[in-house]
Amino acid sequence: MNMHEQGSEHGQGEEQEHGEAGFAYDGVRFRPVEAGHDPGAPTTVGLYHSRGDELWAEFAGGKVRTGRLVGAIRPDGTIDGAYCQVSMDGRSAAGTLVSVPDRLPDGRIRLHEHWRRADGSSGVSVIEQIDAPGGGPLSSAQLGYLRDEIYRQLRTHLGTADVLAATRCATRLLDQCLDGRIPSELTVQVAHDGDAAGTYTLAFVRAMQLITARVHDETFVLRAVTGVMRTVTGRRAEPPSRTVADNIERASQVLGLHEDPWCELVNAQDDRVGEGVDAVITASTAEAHQGPESQQVPFFSIGTDTSGAPHAHRPVLADLLKFESEEPHDARTGTAVSGLDEEEDR
């Protein structure tokens, strides 16, 4: 059974009324509602994305190795979709579904999924939003689901070379900054600029953070600085464009920066910028604007390949982060990291 096939056989449950309009699915994570399921046990988690009336999702965990969903959103929030999956035992399945939304008392979205497999079997499943609406705290089990899913997505989209590089960089970061402390006592600051190099760097450091947690059972705090003023050639510094602001928000959602207490989102004008920072990691093309110049902390450079082209233009990673370039070109780059990782051979 996958995320879209857990529930009663078709005809045994009542039809659900359509939910109210205005359901927002982009960046939302869902899990199945299963009677008697241990909240701490592994389960399938789906990460949903939307743009206009288009919707797509990736899901994995529990009995599902990997799965995909694509569909269209009706004006009332109902989803017409098609899905495919591979289970842990290697079997594949595919089908169509109609997902009807409603609201839980705490504001989260519940989806009633009426599914039909290609083999003719059908049924009704119920899945619920994991992420707490309005920035409310998640339970430890929900945070575990969130972090596992983000790590899986980053591992898939960064690629083997960059995951290995992130592992080496995380080790070197701790070697240089711990100085008798534990990882959870460190704060690492990154500029969340919304440009290509900065967006890749943020994803790379988030991978470093999650890898550290898996190795040490704790990790550093990731402080992402947004709202950085940019100087345009021949003009004065100005705030980020709408495209850049949208890139920042989409990446924040995909990387779980809003929900995870391991992460801090602060504005560039905030007094906390540079305060208590143990290391600053930036794209090599970025300016050193992430903290007071007098702050004596390690400053590392990550984020471009050997040609200087930003990694976020790589099609696979850009797709995960839903990055939109302000530039007319579409660079196709390889994988290399400088700064923390001194190895030349990838």
Short mmCIF file of all heavy atoms in Angstrom, two decimals, residues 255-319:
data_model
loop_
_atom_site.label_atom_id
_atom_site.label_comp_id
_atom_site.label_asym_id
_atom_site.label_seq_id
_atom_site.Cartn_x
_atom_site.Cartn_y
_atom_site.Cartn_z
N LEU A 255 13.09 23.42 2.18
CA LEU A 255 14.14 23.04 3.13
C LEU A 255 13.64 23.01 4.57
O LEU A 255 14.40 22.67 5.48
CB LEU A 255 15.33 23.99 3.02
CG LEU A 255 16.04 23.98 1.65
CD1 LEU A 255 17.11 25.06 1.61
CD2 LEU A 255 16.65 22.62 1.35
N GLY A 256 12.36 23.34 4.80
CA GLY A 256 11.79 23.25 6.13
C GLY A 256 12.32 24.28 7.11
O GLY A 256 12.33 24.04 8.32
N LEU A 257 12.74 25.44 6.62
CA LEU A 257 13.34 26.43 7.50
C LEU A 257 12.34 27.07 8.45
O LEU A 257 12.71 27.49 9.55
CB LEU A 257 14.03 27.53 6.67
CG LEU A 257 15.09 27.07 5.66
CD1 LEU A 257 15.77 28.28 5.05
CD2 LEU A 257 16.12 26.16 6.31
N HIS A 258 11.08 27.15 8.04
CA HIS A 258 10.07 27.76 8.90
C HIS A 258 9.73 26.87 10.09
O HIS A 258 9.51 27.36 11.20
CB HIS A 258 8.78 28.04 8.11
CG HIS A 258 8.91 29.08 7.06
ND1 HIS A 258 9.21 30.39 7.34
CD2 HIS A 258 8.80 29.01 5.70
CE1 HIS A 258 9.26 31.09 6.22
NE2 HIS A 258 9.02 30.28 5.21
N GLU A 259 9.68 25.56 9.87
CA GLU A 259 9.17 24.65 10.89
C GLU A 259 10.24 24.11 11.82
O GLU A 259 9.93 23.73 12.96
CB GLU A 259 8.46 23.45 10.21
CG GLU A 259 7.34 23.83 9.26
CD GLU A 259 7.81 23.97 7.83
OE1 GLU A 259 9.04 24.07 7.61
OE2 GLU A 259 6.96 23.97 6.93
N ASP A 260 11.47 24.02 11.36
CA ASP A 260 12.51 23.31 12.11
C ASP A 260 13.20 24.24 13.12
O ASP A 260 13.81 25.24 12.72
CB ASP A 260 13.55 22.75 11.13
CG ASP A 260 14.44 21.69 11.77
OD1 ASP A 260 14.57 21.70 13.01
OD2 ASP A 260 15.00 20.87 11.02
N PRO A 261 13.14 23.93 14.42
CA PRO A 261 13.81 24.77 15.42
C PRO A 261 15.33 24.75 15.30
O PRO A 261 16.01 25.57 15.93
CB PRO A 261 13.36 24.18 16.75
CG PRO A 261 12.93 22.78 16.44
CD PRO A 261 12.38 22.83 15.04
N TRP A 262 15.88 23.84 14.49
CA TRP A 262 17.31 23.87 14.22
C TRP A 262 17.68 25.03 13.29
O TRP A 262 18.85 25.29 13.05
CB TRP A 262 17.76 22.57 13.55
CG TRP A 262 17.80 21.38 14.46
CD1 TRP A 262 17.71 21.36 15.82
CD2 TRP A 262 17.95 20.01 14.05
NE1 TRP A 262 17.79 20.08 16.30
CE2 TRP A 262 17.94 19.22 15.23
CE3 TRP A 262 18.09 19.38 12.82
CZ2 TRP A 262 18.07 17.84 15.20
CZ3 TRP A 262 18.22 18.00 12.79
CH2 TRP A 262 18.20 17.24 13.97
N CYS A 263 16.68 25.69 12.71
CA CYS A 263 16.92 26.75 11.73
C CYS A 263 16.36 28.08 12.22
O CYS A 263 15.33 28.12 12.89
CB CYS A 263 16.27 26.39 10.39
SG CYS A 263 16.83 24.80 9.70
N GLU A 264 17.04 29.14 11.88
CA GLU A 264 16.59 30.49 12.19
C GLU A 264 16.55 31.31 10.90
O GLU A 264 17.52 31.32 10.14
CB GLU A 264 17.54 31.19 13.17
CG GLU A 264 17.68 30.51 14.51
CD GLU A 264 18.72 31.19 15.40
OE1 GLU A 264 19.43 32.10 14.90
OE2 GLU A 264 18.83 30.79 16.57
N LEU A 265 15.43 31.98 10.66
CA LEU A 265 15.32 32.91 9.54
C LEU A 265 15.34 34.32 10.11
O LEU A 265 14.45 34.69 10.88
CB LEU A 265 14.03 32.67 8.77
CG LEU A 265 14.04 31.56 7.72
CD1 LEU A 265 12.62 31.28 7.23
CD2 LEU A 265 14.93 31.95 6.54
N VAL A 266 16.34 35.11 9.76
CA VAL A 266 16.43 36.48 10.28
C VAL A 266 16.63 37.44 9.12
O VAL A 266 17.25 37.10 8.11
CB VAL A 266 17.57 36.63 11.30
CG1 VAL A 266 17.36 35.71 12.48
CG2 VAL A 266 18.93 36.37 10.67
N ASN A 267 16.09 38.63 9.27
CA ASN A 267 16.25 39.66 8.26
C ASN A 267 17.63 40.29 8.38
O ASN A 267 18.21 40.37 9.48
CB ASN A 267 15.17 40.73 8.41
CG ASN A 267 15.18 41.73 7.26
OD1 ASN A 267 15.92 42.70 7.28
ND2 ASN A 267 14.36 41.46 6.26
N ALA A 268 18.16 40.75 7.25
CA ALA A 268 19.51 41.32 7.25
C ALA A 268 19.63 42.55 8.16
O ALA A 268 20.73 42.89 8.59
CB ALA A 268 19.91 41.70 5.82
N GLN A 269 18.50 43.20 8.45
CA GLN A 269 18.54 44.37 9.32
C GLN A 269 18.39 44.00 10.79
O GLN A 269 18.44 44.87 11.67
CB GLN A 269 17.40 45.34 8.93
CG GLN A 269 17.31 45.64 7.45
CD GLN A 269 18.64 46.12 6.87
OE1 GLN A 269 19.28 46.98 7.46
NE2 GLN A 269 19.04 45.58 5.73
N ASP A 270 18.21 42.72 11.08
CA ASP A 270 18.01 42.26 12.46
C ASP A 270 19.32 42.34 13.25
O ASP A 270 20.39 42.04 12.72
CB ASP A 270 17.49 40.81 12.44
CG ASP A 270 16.91 40.38 13.78
OD1 ASP A 270 17.64 40.42 14.78
OD2 ASP A 270 15.73 39.99 13.81
N ASP A 271 19.22 42.73 14.52
CA ASP A 271 20.41 42.82 15.37
C ASP A 271 21.08 41.47 15.59
O ASP A 271 22.25 41.41 15.98
CB ASP A 271 20.05 43.43 16.73
CG ASP A 271 19.68 44.90 16.63
OD1 ASP A 271 20.05 45.53 15.62
OD2 ASP A 271 18.99 45.41 17.55
N ARG A 272 20.33 40.36 15.36
CA ARG A 272 20.90 39.04 15.58
C ARG A 272 21.88 38.62 14.50
O ARG A 272 22.63 37.65 14.67
CB ARG A 272 19.79 37.99 15.67
CG ARG A 272 18.94 38.07 16.94
CD ARG A 272 17.82 37.05 16.88
NE ARG A 272 16.86 37.37 15.83
CZ ARG A 272 15.90 36.55 15.41
NH1 ARG A 272 15.81 35.34 15.95
NH2 ARG A 272 15.04 36.92 14.47
N VAL A 273 21.91 39.34 13.37
CA VAL A 273 22.84 38.99 12.31
C VAL A 273 24.27 39.15 12.82
O VAL A 273 24.66 40.22 13.27
CB VAL A 273 22.62 39.89 11.07
CG1 VAL A 273 23.70 39.61 10.02
CG2 VAL A 273 21.24 39.66 10.50
N GLY A 274 25.00 38.08 12.80
CA GLY A 274 26.37 38.09 13.28
C GLY A 274 26.52 37.84 14.77
O GLY A 274 27.62 37.57 15.25
N GLU A 275 25.42 37.90 15.52
CA GLU A 275 25.51 37.71 16.97
C GLU A 275 25.63 36.24 17.32
O GLU A 275 24.81 35.42 16.92
CB GLU A 275 24.27 38.30 17.64
CG GLU A 275 24.24 38.16 19.16
CD GLU A 275 22.97 38.73 19.77
OE1 GLU A 275 22.25 39.47 19.08
OE2 GLU A 275 22.70 38.41 20.94
N GLY A 276 26.65 35.89 18.09
CA GLY A 276 26.82 34.51 18.54
C GLY A 276 27.13 33.54 17.43
O GLY A 276 26.93 32.34 17.57
N VAL A 277 27.63 34.04 16.30
CA VAL A 277 27.91 33.19 15.15
C VAL A 277 29.29 32.54 15.30
O VAL A 277 30.26 33.21 15.64
CB VAL A 277 27.85 34.02 13.84
CG1 VAL A 277 28.35 33.20 12.66
CG2 VAL A 277 26.43 34.51 13.59
N ASP A 278 29.34 31.24 15.04
CA ASP A 278 30.61 30.50 15.14
C ASP A 278 31.27 30.31 13.78
O ASP A 278 32.47 30.06 13.71
CB ASP A 278 30.36 29.14 15.79
CG ASP A 278 29.83 29.28 17.21
OD1 ASP A 278 30.62 29.62 18.10
OD2 ASP A 278 28.62 29.08 17.42
N ALA A 279 30.50 30.41 12.70
CA ALA A 279 31.05 30.29 11.35
C ALA A 279 30.08 30.92 10.38
O ALA A 279 28.86 30.91 10.60
CB ALA A 279 31.30 28.83 10.98
N VAL A 280 30.61 31.47 9.30
CA VAL A 280 29.81 32.02 8.21
C VAL A 280 30.17 31.24 6.95
O VAL A 280 31.35 31.07 6.64
CB VAL A 280 30.09 33.52 8.00
CG1 VAL A 280 29.39 34.03 6.74
CG2 VAL A 280 29.63 34.32 9.21
N ILE A 281 29.15 30.76 6.26
CA ILE A 281 29.37 30.04 5.01
C ILE A 281 28.63 30.79 3.92
O ILE A 281 27.45 31.13 4.07
CB ILE A 281 28.86 28.59 5.09
CG1 ILE A 281 29.60 27.84 6.20
CG2 ILE A 281 29.07 27.88 3.75
CD1 ILE A 281 29.15 26.40 6.39
N THR A 282 29.30 31.08 2.83
CA THR A 282 28.70 31.88 1.77
C THR A 282 29.08 31.33 0.41
O THR A 282 30.05 30.60 0.27
CB THR A 282 29.16 33.34 1.88
OG1 THR A 282 28.52 34.12 0.86
CG2 THR A 282 30.66 33.47 1.72
N ALA A 283 28.29 31.69 -0.61
CA ALA A 283 28.69 31.42 -1.98
C ALA A 283 29.93 32.24 -2.28
O ALA A 283 30.07 33.37 -1.82
CB ALA A 283 27.56 31.78 -2.94
N SER A 284 30.83 31.70 -3.08
CA SER A 284 32.09 32.40 -3.34
C SER A 284 31.87 33.69 -4.10
O SER A 284 32.74 34.55 -4.14
CB SER A 284 33.04 31.49 -4.13
OG SER A 284 32.46 31.10 -5.35
N THR A 285 30.68 33.85 -4.73
CA THR A 285 30.40 35.08 -5.47
C THR A 285 29.74 36.13 -4.60
O THR A 285 29.52 37.25 -5.03
CB THR A 285 29.46 34.78 -6.66
OG1 THR A 285 28.27 34.14 -6.15
CG2 THR A 285 30.13 33.86 -7.65
N ALA A 286 29.40 35.76 -3.36
CA ALA A 286 28.68 36.70 -2.49
C ALA A 286 29.64 37.64 -1.79
O ALA A 286 30.81 37.33 -1.58
CB ALA A 286 27.86 35.92 -1.46
N GLU A 287 29.13 38.80 -1.40
CA GLU A 287 29.93 39.74 -0.63
C GLU A 287 29.86 39.34 0.84
O GLU A 287 28.94 38.67 1.29
CB GLU A 287 29.38 41.16 -0.80
CG GLU A 287 29.44 41.65 -2.25
CD GLU A 287 28.82 43.01 -2.37
OE1 GLU A 287 28.40 43.59 -1.34
OE2 GLU A 287 28.76 43.52 -3.50
N ALA A 288 30.83 39.79 1.61
CA ALA A 288 30.88 39.46 3.05
C ALA A 288 29.94 40.39 3.82
O ALA A 288 30.36 41.24 4.57
CB ALA A 288 32.31 39.60 3.55
N HIS A 289 28.64 40.19 3.60
CA HIS A 289 27.66 41.10 4.21
C HIS A 289 26.89 40.44 5.34
O HIS A 289 25.87 40.94 5.76
CB HIS A 289 26.68 41.59 3.14
CG HIS A 289 26.05 40.45 2.37
ND1 HIS A 289 26.09 40.39 1.00
CD2 HIS A 289 25.42 39.34 2.78
CE1 HIS A 289 25.48 39.30 0.59
NE2 HIS A 289 25.07 38.64 1.65
N GLN A 290 27.34 39.28 5.78
CA GLN A 290 26.50 38.49 6.68
C GLN A 290 26.75 38.76 8.16
O GLN A 290 26.17 38.12 9.01
CB GLN A 290 26.70 37.00 6.40
CG GLN A 290 26.36 36.67 4.95
CD GLN A 290 26.65 35.23 4.65
OE1 GLN A 290 25.98 34.34 5.16
NE2 GLN A 290 27.66 34.99 3.85
N GLY A 291 27.60 39.66 8.47
CA GLY A 291 27.85 39.95 9.87
C GLY A 291 28.81 41.12 9.99
O GLY A 291 29.41 41.56 9.01
N PRO A 292 28.94 41.68 11.17
CA PRO A 292 29.86 42.79 11.37
C PRO A 292 31.27 42.42 10.93
O PRO A 292 31.74 41.32 11.17
CB PRO A 292 29.79 43.03 12.88
CG PRO A 292 28.49 42.44 13.31
CD PRO A 292 28.27 41.27 12.42
N GLU A 293 31.95 43.36 10.26
CA GLU A 293 33.29 43.07 9.77
C GLU A 293 34.24 42.78 10.91
O GLU A 293 35.25 42.09 10.75
CB GLU A 293 33.80 44.26 8.94
CG GLU A 293 33.00 44.45 7.64
CD GLU A 293 33.55 45.59 6.83
OE1 GLU A 293 34.55 46.20 7.28
OE2 GLU A 293 33.00 45.89 5.76
N SER A 294 33.93 43.32 12.09
CA SER A 294 34.81 43.10 13.23
C SER A 294 34.64 41.72 13.85
O SER A 294 35.43 41.30 14.68
CB SER A 294 34.52 44.16 14.30
OG SER A 294 33.17 44.09 14.72
N GLN A 295 33.58 41.00 13.43
CA GLN A 295 33.32 39.67 14.00
C GLN A 295 34.41 38.71 13.52
O GLN A 295 34.55 38.44 12.33
CB GLN A 295 31.95 39.16 13.54
CG GLN A 295 31.57 37.83 14.13
CD GLN A 295 30.68 37.99 15.34
OE1 GLN A 295 30.16 39.04 15.59
NE2 GLN A 295 30.52 36.93 16.08
N GLN A 296 35.19 38.17 14.42
CA GLN A 296 36.28 37.28 14.06
C GLN A 296 35.79 35.83 14.13
O GLN A 296 35.91 35.16 15.15
CB GLN A 296 37.48 37.49 15.00
CG GLN A 296 38.07 38.89 14.92
CD GLN A 296 38.58 39.20 13.53
OE1 GLN A 296 39.29 38.39 12.92
NE2 GLN A 296 38.22 40.37 13.01
N VAL A 297 35.21 35.35 13.05
CA VAL A 297 34.73 33.97 12.99
C VAL A 297 35.23 33.37 11.69
O VAL A 297 35.53 34.09 10.73
CB VAL A 297 33.18 33.90 13.04
CG1 VAL A 297 32.67 34.47 14.35
CG2 VAL A 297 32.55 34.62 11.86
N PRO A 298 35.33 32.04 11.64
CA PRO A 298 35.73 31.40 10.38
C PRO A 298 34.77 31.77 9.25
O PRO A 298 33.55 31.79 9.44
CB PRO A 298 35.66 29.91 10.71
CG PRO A 298 35.82 29.84 12.19
CD PRO A 298 35.15 31.07 12.71
N PHE A 299 35.30 32.06 8.08
CA PHE A 299 34.49 32.44 6.93
C PHE A 299 34.81 31.47 5.80
O PHE A 299 35.92 31.45 5.29
CB PHE A 299 34.83 33.88 6.51
CG PHE A 299 33.80 34.52 5.64
CD1 PHE A 299 32.81 35.32 6.18
CD2 PHE A 299 33.81 34.32 4.27
CE1 PHE A 299 31.86 35.91 5.38
CE2 PHE A 299 32.87 34.91 3.45
CZ PHE A 299 31.88 35.71 4.01
N PHE A 300 33.83 30.65 5.43
CA PHE A 300 34.04 29.62 4.44
C PHE A 300 33.29 29.96 3.15
O PHE A 300 32.26 30.62 3.18
CB PHE A 300 33.56 28.27 4.96
CG PHE A 300 34.23 27.84 6.24
CD1 PHE A 300 33.52 27.78 7.43
CD2 PHE A 300 35.58 27.52 6.26
CE1 PHE A 300 34.13 27.41 8.62
CE2 PHE A 300 36.19 27.13 7.44
CZ PHE A 300 35.46 27.08 8.62
N SER A 301 33.78 29.46 2.05
CA SER A 301 33.19 29.74 0.75
C SER A 301 32.76 28.44 0.08
O SER A 301 33.55 27.53 -0.09
CB SER A 301 34.22 30.46 -0.13
OG SER A 301 33.73 30.62 -1.44
N ILE A 302 31.49 28.39 -0.30
CA ILE A 302 30.92 27.21 -0.96
C ILE A 302 29.93 27.72 -1.99
O ILE A 302 29.30 28.74 -1.81
CB ILE A 302 30.16 26.31 0.04
CG1 ILE A 302 31.14 25.62 0.97
CG2 ILE A 302 29.30 25.25 -0.67
CD1 ILE A 302 30.48 24.79 2.02
N GLY A 303 29.76 26.98 -3.11
CA GLY A 303 28.60 27.32 -3.92
C GLY A 303 28.79 27.45 -5.41
O GLY A 303 27.81 27.59 -6.12
N THR A 304 30.01 27.44 -5.94
CA THR A 304 30.16 27.49 -7.38
C THR A 304 31.07 26.38 -7.85
O THR A 304 31.88 25.86 -7.09
CB THR A 304 30.75 28.84 -7.85
OG1 THR A 304 32.04 29.01 -7.25
CG2 THR A 304 29.86 29.99 -7.44
N ASP A 305 30.94 25.99 -9.10
CA ASP A 305 31.81 24.95 -9.62
C ASP A 305 33.12 25.58 -10.11
O ASP A 305 33.36 26.77 -9.94
CB ASP A 305 31.12 24.15 -10.73
CG ASP A 305 30.92 24.95 -12.01
OD1 ASP A 305 31.34 26.13 -12.04
OD2 ASP A 305 30.35 24.39 -12.96
N THR A 306 33.98 24.79 -10.71
CA THR A 306 35.30 25.27 -11.09
C THR A 306 35.26 26.35 -12.15
O THR A 306 36.21 27.11 -12.31
CB THR A 306 36.15 24.10 -11.60
OG1 THR A 306 35.43 23.40 -12.63
CG2 THR A 306 36.46 23.13 -10.48
N SER A 307 34.15 26.48 -12.89
CA SER A 307 34.03 27.53 -13.90
C SER A 307 33.44 28.81 -13.32
O SER A 307 33.36 29.82 -14.00
CB SER A 307 33.13 27.05 -15.05
OG SER A 307 31.79 26.95 -14.60
N GLY A 308 33.01 28.75 -12.04
CA GLY A 308 32.41 29.92 -11.42
C GLY A 308 30.91 30.01 -11.61
O GLY A 308 30.28 30.96 -11.18
N ALA A 309 30.31 29.02 -12.28
CA ALA A 309 28.87 29.05 -12.52
C ALA A 309 28.12 28.53 -11.30
O ALA A 309 28.55 27.57 -10.68
CB ALA A 309 28.52 28.20 -13.74
N PRO A 310 27.02 29.16 -10.93
CA PRO A 310 26.30 28.74 -9.72
C PRO A 310 25.59 27.41 -9.89
O PRO A 310 24.98 27.14 -10.92
CB PRO A 310 25.28 29.87 -9.50
CG PRO A 310 25.09 30.48 -10.85
CD PRO A 310 26.41 30.34 -11.56
N HIS A 311 25.69 26.56 -8.85
CA HIS A 311 25.10 25.23 -8.89
C HIS A 311 23.59 25.24 -9.03
O HIS A 311 23.00 24.29 -9.51
CB HIS A 311 25.45 24.47 -7.62
CG HIS A 311 26.81 23.86 -7.65
ND1 HIS A 311 27.15 22.87 -8.51
CD2 HIS A 311 27.91 24.12 -6.91
CE1 HIS A 311 28.41 22.51 -8.30
NE2 HIS A 311 28.89 23.25 -7.34
N ALA A 312 22.90 26.27 -8.53
CA ALA A 312 21.44 26.23 -8.53
C ALA A 312 20.87 26.24 -9.94
O ALA A 312 19.69 26.01 -10.13
CB ALA A 312 20.87 27.39 -7.72
N HIS A 313 21.71 26.52 -10.95
CA HIS A 313 21.24 26.41 -12.33
C HIS A 313 21.25 24.95 -12.80
O HIS A 313 20.75 24.67 -13.89
CB HIS A 313 22.12 27.26 -13.27
CG HIS A 313 21.77 28.71 -13.24
ND1 HIS A 313 20.56 29.20 -13.66
CD2 HIS A 313 22.47 29.79 -12.80
CE1 HIS A 313 20.54 30.51 -13.53
NE2 HIS A 313 21.68 30.89 -13.00
N ARG A 314 21.84 24.04 -12.01
CA ARG A 314 21.75 22.63 -12.37
C ARG A 314 20.28 22.25 -12.40
O ARG A 314 19.55 22.48 -11.44
CB ARG A 314 22.50 21.77 -11.36
CG ARG A 314 24.01 21.94 -11.45
CD ARG A 314 24.69 21.24 -10.29
NE ARG A 314 24.28 19.85 -10.20
CZ ARG A 314 24.23 19.17 -9.06
NH1 ARG A 314 24.53 19.77 -7.93
NH2 ARG A 314 23.87 17.92 -9.04
N PRO A 315 19.79 21.65 -13.49
CA PRO A 315 18.36 21.44 -13.65
C PRO A 315 17.70 20.66 -12.52
O PRO A 315 16.62 21.01 -12.08
CB PRO A 315 18.27 20.67 -14.98
CG PRO A 315 19.51 21.04 -15.71
CD PRO A 315 20.56 21.23 -14.66
N VAL A 316 18.35 19.60 -12.02
CA VAL A 316 17.71 18.76 -11.01
C VAL A 316 17.54 19.50 -9.69
O VAL A 316 16.47 19.49 -9.09
CB VAL A 316 18.51 17.45 -10.80
CG1 VAL A 316 17.90 16.63 -9.67
CG2 VAL A 316 18.52 16.64 -12.08
N LEU A 317 18.61 20.17 -9.22
CA LEU A 317 18.52 20.90 -7.97
C LEU A 317 17.59 22.10 -8.10
O LEU A 317 16.81 22.39 -7.20
CB LEU A 317 19.91 21.36 -7.53
CG LEU A 317 19.95 22.06 -6.17
CD1 LEU A 317 19.55 21.09 -5.05
CD2 LEU A 317 21.33 22.63 -5.89
N ALA A 318 17.64 22.79 -9.21
CA ALA A 318 16.76 23.94 -9.42
C ALA A 318 15.30 23.50 -9.40
O ALA A 318 14.43 24.23 -8.92
CB ALA A 318 17.09 24.63 -10.74
N ASP A 319 15.02 22.30 -9.89
CA ASP A 319 13.66 21.78 -9.87
C ASP A 319 13.19 21.54 -8.45
O ASP A 319 12.06 21.87 -8.09
CB ASP A 319 13.59 20.49 -10.69
CG ASP A 319 12.18 19.91 -10.71
OD1 ASP A 319 11.27 20.58 -11.23
OD2 ASP A 319 11.98 18.79 -10.19
#
